[in-house]
Each structure stands twice: as structure tokens, then as C-alpha cells.
Amino acid sequence: MKTVACYCRVSTEEQVKYGFSIQAQKDALTKYCKENNYKYDFYIDEGISASSMKKRKALQEMLEKSVAYDMILFTKLDRLSRNVLDANNINKILQDNNCTMKAIDEDDVDTSTADGMFMFNLKVSLAQREIGKTSERIKFVFKNKREKGEVTSGTTKYGYKIKDKKFVVDPEEAENIRNLYKYFISVNGDHKKTYSYFVKHFPGKGQDALFNYLRETAYIGKYKLYRKNVYIDNYIPAIMNQELFNNVQNLLPRVEKVFTKENVPTIFAGMLYCYYCKSRLVRKIDYRSKNKNVNYYCDKQYRYKVGINEKQCQNSKVISDKSVEEYLINNLKDLCKQYISKSIIKTKPKPQKNNIKINSLKNKLSKLKDLYLDDLINKEDYKQDYIRINKEILKLEEEQKEEPQKDFTYLNELINKDIPDIYNTFNIEEKRKFWLKIIDKIYIKEGKIKEVTFL
Ligand SMILES: [Zn+2]
């Protein structure tokens, strides 16, 4: 049986303008999966446009877990992406994980075949052209403004103010920057000392800002265009000479080594969730430790609720990749058993109770109809009561719809196997795949595993 992930997306604008809904996509995909006898999960981004891939949390989550699926399904390609680069990135991630994708309403888009792959590329390019028209206009406006030396974006740079739409030097901030550069040279690029200097003189700024400032070419009058390696002159005034800047650049690589984010392989990234606020835990890698320890934490514990002096989440402890692994290995059998028995209890008792209610409501409806037909109530009253009761019935029937009974064969197999022995021969990537194939979410409370749900 194939395991597939169904992806749905609708933007707020589409909802309002065209009445597109998530439910319509869900229904179509569910029907398709049932017809083909697929095991399926849903990933849903509601109220989010296709242009911002980063904001689409469900999409990100699905991609991270794609190794556990044979195929990604969506109704139309524009639900997944309208941007060539994103679409190709998505496709690459899926290919790496042996996962294909298919648009069920555009049956020529199916990356498991050569023809379908061709159509995928063609349609993505066409979709991008639609968006391209608007962004080209925006680019044109930007270009014109820049030629006149006008600032094109609303954000300013540290060291500058914007006056009459142009960058001008902010004398105080510029002095602060020059002193930072000089200090950095005076301590020979010592990171620790520089950072404590930075914290003192640039309140509220973090380490990313420090490195951005130390690398900022605008300070020698070269404005870098977005993330491209294109610089424009005569757009932003220099605040230091080339020599000071170069001396800092020469010291930078050595320090950076400690801090550049190398790709530290982790097993559970994307699978851990906060028990309290249900948001996904954030990964933090301790680059200074020899073993590059990986910890996870709920970053809502650092955020405050709007208008109140109260944290968004109370989950304050971290948990390491290693301790999650140890706990799971030692408790896997029990966790599986617990999960299975919990799921079975959850799915059973409701329907019968609802059936009785539904039947009595249906009885009421037919009595109501009799009353109306016998002219004992008027049409308006009949209509009102009919709508009210019918709504109740629909609601109960919706509740009654059983969640598809999970298939526990694989989990039962796991319970009977001896995991640790096989597991210890795996490398980190294989370990990650192993867990991704069986685990849905791991809930963490105060640095401890509280609950595990399986796929
Ligand atoms: Zn939390």
C-alpha cells in the first residue's frame, strides 16, 4: 500500500475572491486516495499565498518528512508552487527522498514519469510568468529610483538615516560602527571580547547583527543588491576608509570558522513539538562544544504576549537530540503499545451515541413535516425549524464520520522486533529516516518526552 502526503493550500485572497476552499481540495484528495487505496496524511496551509515558501509551515513540515512518503498529492500545481525556483527545490528534495508528486486535477503533472516531469517543468514556468509580470513592474520602479539615488526599501541600515529618500550618514551610529571595527582589530579578532563589547555598545542586537555589521560593504560606499553579488556605487555614502574595512575582513575568516553554521546532522529536527503550545521546537547547535551538541527548545518561551508582561509559553528547558534518541530506544515498545491502545479507545465509542440522537432528530423532522402538511404550522415556522434541526443532524453526522482506522501492522511488528541491535548499525541519516518512517510527533514538556504519536 502506498503512503502519500496530501497538500492543500488556499490564500486569503483566493478564499474571498473566488471562494476557493480547503475543504474542496481535501474532499477531492480524500476521494482519490480512497479510490487508489492509499494510506494518506494531510498537510494544510490556509490563508497563505504561494509566493512565500518560508511561511508555509505545513509545506515545510511535509518536505521534512517526505522520506516517509511514496508520493505527494495536490489538486493543482499552483497549490504547491508558482515559482520555478521553489518548485525545482521542492522537486529536488522529493527526488532525494525517493518521493514523487502528482496533481490529481492535472493528470499530466506526475513526476514519476518522464512525460509528467516535462509537463511539471512547463507548467511551473507558465505559472511563474503570471507572477513575473507584476514583479517586473516593481523591479522597473526600483531601478528608476536607484538611478536617482533614492532609497527603494523602507528599512534603513545601521549607521544611516533616510532623508529625502536618500541615505545620509547618522554621525553617532557611524562613529559607533567605526569604533567597533577598531576594537575588533585591537583585540586581533577575538570573538568573545568583541561580542561583549558589541552587546554593551549596540543594545538589543545579537550575534547575527555583529557579523553583518563587520561585513557590511555599504560602510565603504558599496551597496549590495539583495543577496546577489552586485554592488552599486554612488548610492550610499561611505563611513570609513577602505583600509579599516579590509583589516577587519582579513581578521574575519578565522573567527567565523567557529560560528559559521556548518551542517550538523541531526536525527529529530522537525519532529519535536512543545507539549504546552504545540509549536514545533527550534533546533540550537552548540558549535563551541566538541561534539556539536544539538538541543531543541520552544522559542515561544522567549516571546511575550502582546500587551502583557507574560511569556507566550512556559516550556523553558531544552532537550538534546541524543537524549530523545536514548529515551525512544529504551521505551519504544511501551510507547507503541500505549499509542495503539489509546488510538483504539479514541476512535470507538462516539458513533453509537450520535446515532440515537440523529434518529430522534430525523423523527422530529418528519413530524414537523406532518404538522406543516396538516396546516398546523405555517411555512415560515416550518422552514426555520427545519433549517435548525437539519444543521444539528449534519453536525452530528460530521462528528460521526470515523477517522480512518489506523493500520497498526507496522507498529506491531516493531513491538516484536529487537530494535536496538539493528539500529546501532545505522548512520545518522539512516537513523533519521528510520524515525521519520514511524513517528509523527514527539511532544516535549520541560525537557522530557511527554507523548509520542506514530504515523
Ligand atoms: Zn511552547
Side-chain angles (χ1 to χ4, degrees), residues 53 56 59 62-63 66 72 74 80-81 83-96 99 101 120:
M53 192 161 154
R56 290 154 67 186
L59 175 68
M62 181 180 75
L63 291 176
S66 56
I72 305 293
F74 36 87
L80 185 77
S81 174
N83 164 310
V84 177
L85 211 64
D86 282 349
N88 289 337
N89 280 338
I90 292 171
N91 191 34
K92 196 181 169 305
I93 295 170
L94 295 182
Q95 277 182 342
D96 287 347
C99 184
M101 54 181 151
F120 167 78

Side-chain angles (χ1 to χ4, degrees), residues 29-71:
L29 290 165
T30 307
K31 187 167 168 260
Y32 189 87
C33 289
K34 284 190 173 154
E35 279 169 5
N36 290 284
N37 198 23
Y38 293 154
K39 194 178 161 201
Y40 56 97
D41 296 318
F42 273 104
Y43 292 86
I44 294 165
D45 281 320
E46 196 161 7
I48 299 165
S49 79
S51 51
S52 55
M53 192 161 154
K54 267 196 182 154
K55 285 186 196 152
R56 290 154 67 186
K57 286 205 166 143
L59 175 68
Q60 300 285 357
E61 189 184 340
M62 181 180 75
L63 291 176
E64 274 179 40
K65 291 183 179 169
S66 56
V67 72
Y69 298 108
D70 298 304
M71 186 163 54

Side-chain angles (χ1 to χ4, degrees), residues 115-300:
D115 278 358
M117 192 67 205
F118 170 77
M119 283 313 290
F120 167 78
N121 284 323
L122 183 69
K123 286 204 167 163
V124 166
S125 320
L126 288 175
Q128 164 122 30
R129 265 199 6 197
E130 289 287 301
I131 300 186
K133 279 179 200 155
T134 6
S135 59
E136 242 158 58
R137 265 198 294 276
I138 294 167
K139 265 186 219 152
F140 179 72
V141 175
F142 272 28
K143 200 171 162 250
N144 253 326
K145 279 195 167 182
R146 259 197 236 106
E147 274 164 5
K148 286 192 250 162
E150 288 182 4
V151 177
T152 53
S153 77
T155 50
T156 178
K157 262 186 202 308
Y158 192 89
Y160 300 92
K161 283 187 288 205
I162 296 172
K163 209 174 176 187
D164 299 330
K165 296 182 186 167
K166 291 187 181 186
F167 280 118
V168 292
V169 176
D170 177 325
E172 238 171 76
E173 288 187 0
E175 183 66 19
N176 211 14
I177 287 284
R178 281 191 295 267
N179 286 338
L180 171 69
Y181 271 61
K182 285 174 195 160
Y183 182 85
F184 188 69
I185 295 168
S186 77
V187 294
N188 205 19
D190 183 293
H191 170 263
K192 235 182 177 174
K193 287 178 188 161
T194 308
Y195 191 60
S196 64
Y197 174 92
F198 184 71
V199 172
K200 221 182 280 166
H201 292 82
F202 294 76
K205 307 273 182 192
Q207 192 172 280
D208 287 348
L210 168 62
F211 282 105
N212 287 340
Y213 292 172
L214 289 175
R215 253 189 249 113
E216 180 54 82
T217 56
Y219 297 151
I220 47 167
K222 290 192 175 300
Y223 189 84
K224 193 176 181 188
L225 221 51
Y226 306 122
R227 269 151 280 165
K228 292 174 207 150
N229 275 328
V230 179
Y231 298 89
I232 14 180
D233 296 316
N234 306 320
Y235 180 59
I236 196 162
I239 60 174
M240 65 178 63
N241 61 41
Q242 190 87 40
E243 196 192 344
L244 180 60
F245 185 80
N246 286 349
N247 286 341
V248 164
Q249 304 314 304
N250 291 338
L251 284 170
L252 264 175
R254 222 181 59 209
V255 185
E256 249 187 303
K257 249 185 205 144
V258 191
F259 278 92
T260 326
K261 289 173 183 166
E262 352 165 5
N263 196 12
V264 177
T266 49
I267 303 178
F268 296 103
M271 299 163 77
L272 305 182
Y273 289 78
C274 174
Y275 181 73
Y276 295 119
C277 70
K278 310 294 177 215
S279 57
R280 193 150 23 137
L281 298 193
V282 174
R283 182 173 61 162
K284 189 186 170 83
I285 298 166
D286 183 0
Y287 289 98
R288 281 160 300 184
S289 74
K290 214 176 157 193
N291 300 325
K292 307 269 188 299
N293 288 331
V294 180
N295 287 315
Y296 301 90
Y297 63 97
C298 175
D299 75 338
K300 292 237 165 95

